[in-house]
């Protein structure tokens, strides 16, 4: 039993910096690519709050959301369309989407 507790504690200890790095990476990418012009983490601006996006979607939606960010779209969050972000590398879009989904 003690061994299991130590293993679990070690896993949390080692995962902590990785989770913190993911948060920093997500915020840095959000700023780097100008997402902050239309989105905020906890309030609606032109586009939805990322926390609202996280509540609506799951891990299974990642591929669909990556394509939505890359190609743009409209109608899901209101009349203002999301412009395409074809200049953003798809790997960075996926990192952003995965980070957003952690904001539940």
């Amino acid at each position: 039993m003690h061994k299991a507790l130590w293993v679990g504690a070690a896993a949390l200890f080692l995962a902590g910096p990785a989770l913190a790095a993911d948060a920093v990476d997500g915020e840095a990418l959000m700023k780097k690519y100008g997402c902050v012009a239309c989105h905020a983490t906890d309030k609606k601006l032109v586009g939805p709050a990322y926390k609202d996006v996280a509540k609506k979607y799951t891990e299974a939606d990642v591929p669909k959301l990556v394509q939505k960010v890359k190609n743009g779209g409209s109608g899901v969050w209101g009349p203002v369309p999301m412009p395409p972000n074809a200049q953003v590398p798809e790997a960075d879009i996926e990192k952003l989407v995965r980070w957003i989904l952690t904001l539940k």
Side-chain angles (χ1 to χ4, degrees):
M1 182 71 163
H2 284 35
K3 184 178 179 181
L5 288 174
W6 280 108
V7 170
L12 286 174
F13 177 77
L14 294 173
L19 293 174
D22 287 346
V24 172
D25 289 347
E27 290 177 16
L29 289 171
M30 186 174 134
K31 291 175 185 169
K32 177 181 179 179
Y33 293 117
C35 306
V36 295
C38 296
H39 297 279
T41 301
D42 58 356
K43 63 182 176 184
K44 180 182 179 357
L45 297 178
V46 175
Y50 283 149
K51 286 186 177 186
D52 291 337
V53 174
K55 289 176 190 172
K56 184 172 184 153
Y57 296 101
T58 68
E59 180 71 21
D61 297 309
V62 169
K64 173 176 70 173
L65 292 171
V66 168
Q67 290 309 304
K68 180 74 115 176
V69 172
K70 187 163 195 72
N71 300 324
S74 64
V76 177
W77 296 96
V80 178
M82 179 164 170
N85 292 280
Q87 78 286 1
V88 180
E90 198 162 309
D92 283 353
I93 294 173
E94 184 173 343
K95 286 179 191 174
L96 274 164
V97 167
R98 289 183 184 284
W99 170 72
I100 291 165
L101 293 179
T102 69
L103 299 174
K104 294 181 179 172

